Amino acid sequence: MDDARVRSEAFRWVAEQVARYGDVLPRALLLQGFVLDGQRIPLLGPQGIFKPRVLREIPLSITTAPGGPCDDAFDRDGLLRYRYRGTDPDHPDNRGLRLAGQRAVPLIYFHGVVPGEYLAAWPVYVVDDRPSELAVTVVVDIPYELEPPRGGSAAPEDSFGEVREMRRRYTTAQVRVRLHQRAFRERVLEAYQRQCAFCRFRREELLDAAHIVPDSQPGGEPTVRNGLALCALHHSAFDRYFLGVTPDYEIQVRPDILEEEDGPTLIYGLQALHGRRLWVPRSPRNRPDRDLLAVRYEDFRAAI
């Protein structure tokens, strides 16, 4: 089966699933894949470097599992360093990655945000092979329609290689931010059983992952212990210091908000929370960090 055609259909199929389900796709869906000419083509497999049987040499996708054994990470230049399979540079999977780089063949990257849930980025390219480090460097480019070759490459061509490199670096940086944001959201919502920590509201479409210490400040890391699952109303109120949380998990309402007179949303949505205890995850390792809450609470008090 023609390699470019398989990749074109894979890109199109992933785009359709993202449009239908959102950025984060379930593993079961990716394992099922799509059908082309009567053959089912999965998008990933048990190993991180995955080549379906219909392809001869070069993998279709690479995957980073959440909490997996590989230390795939973005380097100081903002590019993805993807680990080889095992320690043998000549393993067929690693040779396939090398060929993808040599032939500029696009792949799909699946980044696990929580077990069983993946965020997709495509097309990605292997731009540097580092056998001594057992890794390759990967960049993301803008999506495009990949058609079977007709006398030339189907990828976007630039008059200058420098322009292409700048575009790929920018796109990779954008994907990196999106990966971190979505991973943070999914991990926080999972820890809080997909409900608001203030009011227990459960409609996931209206839930956010709020930073306790903002990511613009020291200590504002995108970790579960620096996060709260909040509904849209309480996220906005928390960000604007209408609401605060003590290091002992007590919710407090700013005095002027308590004294204000308005309709039922103010009364039941905000004022009624004063003195209530924050709902926290059962696992101590997922509960809000008390030191981070103390930092945030001081900011809340300063806003009074």
Side-chain angles (χ1 to χ4, degrees):
M1 192 175 292
D2 182 79
D3 184 285
R5 182 167 173 242
V6 172
R7 294 178 196 279
S8 175
E9 291 301 319
F11 289 179
R12 188 174 294 114
W13 183 85
V14 172
E16 290 173 353
Q17 306 317 305
V18 169
R20 181 177 181 182
Y21 297 106
D23 283 349
V24 180
L25 302 176
R27 179 177 178 83
L29 180 68
L30 300 174
L31 286 173
Q32 181 180 6
F34 62 98
V35 176
L36 182 62
D37 293 344
Q39 297 189 61
R40 182 165 297 281
I41 303 175
L43 273 292
L44 49 72
Q47 303 298 330
I49 304 169
F50 177 67
K51 180 181 69 65
R53 293 180 180 179
V54 297
L55 297 181
R56 295 184 58 187
E57 299 177 297
I58 299 176
L60 177 60
S61 69
I62 54 177
T63 300
T64 298
C70 296
D71 58 345
D72 306 324
F74 289 89
D75 61 23
R76 65 180 60 186
D77 294 323
L79 305 181
L80 175 65
R81 185 185 69 171
Y82 191 84
R83 295 283 296 179
Y84 279 176
R85 177 178 177 178
T87 58
D88 180 8
D90 288 324
H91 186 283
D93 286 353
N94 301 329
R95 290 203 305 269
L97 277 185
R98 194 171 301 119
L99 282 174
Q102 293 169 355
R103 300 178 185 176
V105 174
L107 314 174
I108 304 170
Y109 175 55
F110 294 112
H111 182 89
V113 292
V114 294
E117 303 285 338
Y118 294 84
L119 193 148
W122 75 95
V124 303
Y125 290 88
V126 175
V127 294
D128 188 21
D129 181 33
R130 306 178 184 180
S132 62
E133 300 177 21
L134 301 176
V136 295
T137 300
V138 176
V139 296
V140 188
D141 208 337
I142 57 174
Y144 60 87
E145 289 294 321
L146 179 68
E147 299 296 344
R150 296 177 182 175
S153 171
E157 291 294 337
D158 301 308
S159 300
F160 304 97
E162 184 178 350
V163 174
R164 179 178 59 193
E165 181 180 351
M166 291 175 61
R167 183 188 69 228
R168 288 180 172 179
R169 284 181 176 272
Y170 175 79
T171 306
T172 303
Q174 295 296 103
V175 168
R176 179 187 184 186
V177 171
R178 184 162 59 95
L179 289 176
H180 287 174
Q181 289 174 340
R182 289 310 302 258
F184 176 63
R185 180 181 187 274
E186 291 299 315
R187 290 166 186 164
V188 169
L189 293 193
E190 183 177 71
Y192 283 81
Q193 299 179 24
R194 304 189 183 277
Q195 58 189 307
C196 177
F198 285 178
C199 67
R200 308 290 294 272
F201 182 72
R202 292 178 178 271
R203 291 294 299 187
E204 186 173 340
E205 301 92 330
L206 297 177
L207 293 178
D208 299 323
H211 286 79
I212 295 172
V213 174
D215 55 6
S216 60
Q217 297 181 13
E221 300 296 327
T223 62
V224 172
R225 300 206 69 195
N226 187 42
L228 296 172
L230 299 178
C231 67
L233 170 64
H234 293 136
H235 188 181
S236 182
F238 185 69
D239 281 352
R240 288 162 176 77
Y241 298 105
F242 287 13
L243 301 173
V245 180
T246 73
D248 293 324
Y249 301 153
E250 180 183 308
I251 302 170
Q252 293 193 359
V253 180
R254 207 171 70 196
D256 63 310
I257 303 298
L258 277 176
E259 296 171 2
E260 189 174 333
E261 295 184 4
D262 203 339
T265 299
L266 175 66
I267 296 172
Y268 299 109
L270 296 179
Q271 293 172 341
L273 293 175
H274 189 65
R276 285 189 185 178
R277 184 172 175 80
L278 186 75
W279 189 88
V280 298
R282 293 180 180 178
S283 172
R285 65 186 179 87
N286 287 333
R287 292 174 186 168
D289 186 296
R290 294 179 187 272
D291 291 337
L292 297 177
L293 282 175
V295 172
R296 177 73 183 213
Y297 186 64
E298 286 303 310
D299 291 341
F300 169 74
R301 287 176 56 84
I304 295 176

